Amino acid sequence: MKSTLAMVLLVVGTTSTAHALNKDGNWRITQPQWTEQHEYQFGQFVTQLGMAVENRKCATVRECLKSPANMYYGTDPKELKFFADCADLPYFLRAYFAWKNELPFSNATGFVANPAGPEDFNKDIRYSTNGNSVKWRKDVLTGKNAMGRAKFPNAIAYLNSDMINTVSTASYRMIGDNPGASYTDFYSARLDRVGIRPGTVIYDPNGHVAIVYRVTESGRILYIDAHPDNTLTMGLYTSKFMRSVPGQGAGFKNFRPLMLEGASQDSSGALIGGRIIAAENRNLAAYGTEQYYGSRPDGSGDWKKSQFIFNGQAINYYEYVQLKLTNGEPRIDPLMDMKFEVIDICSSLKDRVAAVELARRDGIPLKPHPERLPVNIFGATGEWESYATPSRDARLKTSFVDILAQAQKAINKHRAGDRMVRYNGGNLAKDLFAVYANEATLCKFSYTTSNRQTLLMNLEAARQRLYNMSFDPYHCPEMRWGARKPQELQSCTDDQNKRAWFDAERWLRNQIERRYDVRMDYTVDQLGAGPKPGVGTDTAPDIDIVTYLKSQM
């Protein structure tokens, strides 16, 4: 099946430049419908950008799109800003591609939260309990001026502000099963290499969005994601992307193919007027809801009790996704998985360097600490949204928790003779430790201290101080990186009040679950009194992969 699909895609890909290319600010539409050819090309477009990020050739949305990594490099008006955060990025890339290829485009611009119980705390539609529904949308259509000539949409204004100002993570928080005029921009992807491909979007219901740029032969999913400072990073799909209530639409989704109907064509070939309609789920080969309800759904409809069965075995969701996307014999390679996951953590740590440095550079640690935390530290606005790292740090901790859990599971399965585990050595724990130690040692990064000195660290050092790393942007860089020794802390400028905040926030640093349904706007004294329901925990999850592997050798 793989070779047939590749052959078809190669054939259709050869005709990709038959139409004109939009180079000015006008959004001409000459192609009325998104086809499989366009979907394949869009995937190639995203893959090239992702590979540039992976190979460290560019590090921001602007750098990447203004480089040869962009297949349309050199064709853009100078007014285009190339700015996107995590929610904006998939929309920006899709709209940019549509503009360049003279295709129709539409995006939802208004949402309403689906009904929830009276106890629901969070009224923010980005974190609605039961997901959202589309209320309004904006279609990119060509009109006519007073002379009866084509009046093209302004692509620059659309990409720079019109679209970006309407997109947030609320745009993804829906399952996508409403047909007709209230259709969603995305549909749920089936769990295979047809459904999950370059260009597929990954939505984390805790408020993060990424876009797939590569799926490896072993079923590993690599993505790029953007951040509020316009940085662009790559990562590996793992359990840091949570499952959730199906109505929230967590997981994998693809842009819904669009078609312009009822348009007239002028002498230049441009399509005028008409209306945009979207493909329905029942007509999409890549549509599926297995990610929500399992391969063996629960009889009562409880998504939490659904099972994922592969070759007669019940396995966890993340293993299931990897095996379903594997080319060739589906097997789990624990050594390769360990390497991939540690490399992913390394990438996350280096991304965190940029985030902490941005706060230092902009003088945030020198400002007085606010009297209270934001209403919710994971879904804040202003300086906290731009400079704090609670969500980023929670995903990082989840990744460390995950490599320990995966190592434990692989060792137990291997000892039980599970044939799905690919390993031919004599001591799996010892070999896993060797992989971890090698990659952790190779992963070196540095941060800039308060007095502008450079301090070198590696991944294992970061693991050992992980729960001491402050997410609070008003703390000095040393505290942001978990410094505990006087020699490292001597350059820190934090006063007694900020040290008190650091101590009070330890409960929150122990918590890897990102909760958006609880208030967190406590004073330092209130927070320091101890964990509250949903706010902090006494005990941090175990991340000691070193001690565990040594105990199993």
Side-chain angles (χ1 to χ4, degrees):
M1 181 175 178
K2 175 204 170 191
S3 59
T4 303
L5 178 62
M7 180 179 65
V8 172
L9 293 176
L10 284 171
V11 170
V12 298
T14 58
T15 62
S16 62
T17 57
H19 63 90
L21 182 72
N22 275 323
K23 295 184 179 181
D24 57 21
N26 291 328
W27 192 320
R28 286 167 43 90
I29 301 174
T30 61
Q31 301 195 80
Q33 183 174 1
W34 283 78
T35 65
E36 282 300 317
Q37 170 189 345
H38 297 125
E39 298 295 348
Y40 173 66
Q41 283 185 283
F42 177 64
Q44 286 185 312
F45 169 61
V46 176
T47 294
Q48 288 187 197
L49 294 173
M51 293 305 298
V53 177
E54 180 179 327
N55 294 320
R56 301 283 176 178
K57 293 182 178 179
C58 56
T60 68
V61 176
R62 181 176 177 81
E63 284 178 3
C64 290
L65 285 168
K66 288 184 70 66
S67 77
N70 177 5
M71 62 172 60
Y72 307 108
Y73 170 61
T75 67
D76 297 307
K78 63 181 181 180
E79 297 84 5
L80 192 56
K81 293 180 181 178
F82 296 113
F83 190 92
D85 65 13
C86 76
D88 299 331
L89 182 66
Y91 276 96
F92 188 94
L93 296 181
R94 185 76 169 186
Y96 177 85
F97 179 89
W99 165 49
K100 288 298 179 184
N101 288 277
E102 303 184 344
L103 287 161
F105 190 77
S106 174
N107 76 282
T109 58
F111 309 90
V112 59
N114 295 328
E119 73 284 354
D120 186 27
F121 153 71
N122 204 319
K123 306 304 179 185
D124 188 332
I125 59 171
R126 294 177 299 171
Y127 311 111
S128 54
T129 300
N130 293 325
N132 303 322
S133 295
V134 175
K135 192 173 182 180
W136 303 290
R137 66 172 42 257
K138 167 70 175 177
D139 293 343
V140 176
L141 296 172
T142 303
K144 289 185 179 181
N145 60 23
M147 303 295 293
R149 296 173 181 169
K151 183 179 180 180
F152 298 112
N154 186 327
I156 306 303
Y158 194 77
L159 289 167
N160 281 352
S161 59
D162 295 351
M163 180 187 66
I164 297 300
N165 290 340
T166 64
V167 170
S168 73
T169 52
S171 307
Y172 302 84
R173 202 174 186 85
M174 54 201 84
I175 194 170
D177 56 2
N178 293 332
S182 61
Y183 70 87
T184 57
D185 293 332
F186 303 92
Y187 65 89
S188 173
R190 64 188 241 193
L191 299 181
D192 59 21
R193 297 181 77 93
V194 173
I196 300 174
R197 60 196 189 233
T200 295
V201 172
I202 315 172
Y203 170 56
D204 182 342
N206 286 321
H208 195 61
V209 182
I211 187 167
V212 176
Y213 73 89
R214 184 158 69 95
V215 180
T216 71
E217 294 296 295
S218 61
R220 284 297 195 172
I221 301 166
L222 301 173
Y223 63 81
I224 50 174
D225 54 351
H227 304 279
D229 59 0
N230 207 35
T231 55
L232 197 58
T233 57
M234 59 83 65
L236 177 72
Y237 177 75
T238 66
S239 62
K240 63 190 173 189
F241 285 87
M242 291 181 61
R243 296 183 69 223
S244 187
V245 178
Q248 293 182 359
F252 300 100
K253 49 187 69 192
N254 290 313
F255 277 99
R256 201 174 289 279
L258 303 175
M259 181 173 72
L260 177 63
E261 69 169 15
S264 60
Q265 191 173 53
D266 68 9
S267 58
S268 73
L271 296 170
I272 315 297
R275 71 186 187 103
I276 293 177
I277 61 174
E280 295 186 7
N281 294 342
R282 58 190 175 90
N283 297 323
L284 294 167
Y287 169 75
T289 58
E290 186 181 28
Q291 61 178 320
Y292 304 127
Y293 304 111
S295 61
R296 183 182 292 171
D298 176 65
S300 66
D302 186 344
W303 70 275
K304 292 182 179 179
K305 295 180 180 178
S306 60
Q307 289 186 301
F308 294 91
I309 309 297
F310 195 89
N311 287 347
Q313 293 186 40
I315 58 178
N316 74 45
Y317 169 72
Y318 300 95
E319 287 179 326
Y320 184 81
V321 171
Q322 182 182 349
L323 290 170
K324 288 279 284 187
L325 269 63
T326 299
N327 253 339
E329 185 181 7
R331 302 278 293 276
I332 296 294
D333 184 338
L335 299 182
M336 186 60 68
D337 286 351
M338 174 66 80
K339 181 175 181 178
F340 265 122
E341 291 186 1
V342 178
I343 290 174
D344 178 55
I345 290 174
C346 183
S347 177
S348 297
L349 286 167
K350 291 178 179 178
D351 298 340
R352 191 180 190 275
V353 170
V356 174
E357 173 60 15
L358 180 65
R360 187 201 68 81
R361 190 189 66 197
D362 290 353
I364 307 303
L366 301 178
K367 293 185 176 184
H369 199 288
E371 292 185 5
R372 293 179 177 272
L373 291 179
V375 173
N376 188 281
I377 65 171
F378 300 110
T381 57
E383 283 185 345
W384 192 273
E385 179 185 27
S386 299
Y387 300 106
T389 56
S391 291
R392 186 193 296 263
D393 290 358
R395 290 194 296 271
L396 183 61
K397 291 164 189 171
T398 299
S399 295
F400 273 106
V401 170
D402 191 56
I403 63 168
L404 175 57
Q406 292 303 315
Q408 291 169 334
K409 186 171 295 184
I411 289 171
N412 290 337
K413 283 188 173 185
H414 177 62
R415 287 174 177 170
D418 192 328
R419 296 177 61 187
M420 202 172 290
V421 177
R422 179 184 292 138
Y423 176 69
N424 296 319
N427 190 326
L428 180 55
K430 183 177 181 180
D431 289 342
L432 282 169
F433 179 80
V435 172
Y436 174 81
N438 181 64
E439 294 300 330
T441 303
L442 289 174
C443 177
K444 294 182 174 65
F445 59 94
S446 61
Y447 79 87
T448 303
T449 64
S450 299
N451 60 357
R452 299 187 180 183
Q453 300 299 306
T454 299
L455 194 145
L456 185 67
M457 292 176 61
N458 67 18
L459 185 144
E460 173 58 15
R463 184 193 67 79
Q464 293 179 18
R465 55 171 68 185
L466 188 62
Y467 289 110
N468 283 322
M469 291 183 186
S470 174
F471 52 75
D472 192 323
Y474 299 98
H475 285 141
C476 66
E478 294 84 352
M479 301 293 274
R480 296 294 300 275
W481 283 104
R484 304 307 289 160
K485 294 182 178 180
Q487 184 178 0
E488 187 177 349
L489 279 170
Q490 65 182 357
S491 55
C492 177
T493 56
D494 286 0
D495 57 20
Q496 186 175 356
N497 179 57
K498 289 188 179 182
R499 300 294 176 102
W501 270 108
F502 178 83
D503 290 339
E505 289 169 349
R506 65 188 181 279
W507 320 114
L508 287 170
R509 291 195 299 274
N510 287 343
Q511 178 177 321
I512 65 173
E513 181 186 10
R514 288 158 281 170
R515 294 285 299 271
Y516 295 85
D517 58 341
V518 292
R519 297 188 70 97
M520 298 180 176
D521 51 343
Y522 294 107
T523 65
V524 64
D525 291 335
Q526 291 170 335
L527 190 63
K532 314 293 189 293
V535 183
T537 180
D538 288 307
T539 306
D542 187 9
I543 58 170
D544 195 348
I545 183 70
V546 172
T547 297
Y548 170 73
L549 291 176
K550 285 184 175 180
S551 72
Q552 301 298 308
M553 291 182 188

